[in-house]
Amino acid sequence: DAVYTYRELFQQDGIALEYTSDKAIYEEPITGDPDRLKQVFCNLLDNAAKFSPEGGTVAVNLHKEKSALMVSVTDQGEGMRADTQAHIFEQFYQGDTSHTTQGNGLGLAMVKKVLELHGGSIQVNSAPGQGSCFTVTLPI
């Protein structure tokens, strides 16, 4: 649902949105609040759009790994230094102050909390000049 919701925004911003998934994920139910989980993925997609350059690509991949659903959102933005990554899930933290008018630093803290309440987690893999990949893990 989140990918479908954001497709138009990405097109307007000149960003390609790629979506891939294992068919096996549709056989595994996820227990949780669908509205809060959609909010998680909308936040990640919103951030990917915000930090991606025009002409860039955001890739969303869903796959099953053991007893978990793995969802990655990868952008081709500026990336982050390790010291920024260490704080991005904290309330009110904004590693890139050039986007302060587009948020208040609560989105990723909310994402982490919602995932924890669902027994899941989130990780980020990023480096300056190489974009960012946020990976969500949810138990199935």
Side-chain angles (χ1 to χ4, degrees), residues 3 19-20 25 30 41 44 59-64 68-74 121-123 133-138:
V3 169
Y19 173 81
T20 57
I25 66 159
I30 295 176
F41 296 110
L44 294 175
V60 178
N61 179 269
L62 285 74
H63 69 277
K64 182 181 172 187
L69 172 66
M70 309 292 287
V71 183
S72 63
V73 177
T74 306
S121 63
I122 186 166
Q123 295 179 327
C133 179
F134 288 84
T135 302
V136 169
T137 303
L138 286 166

Side-chain angles (χ1 to χ4, degrees), residues 3-21:
V3 169
Y4 183 76
T5 300
Y6 274 80
R7 280 183 18 206
E8 224 176 275
L9 171 70
F10 277 79
Q11 287 175 346
Q12 291 171 0
D13 289 347
I15 301 167
L17 180 58
E18 296 177 353
Y19 173 81
T20 57
S21 67

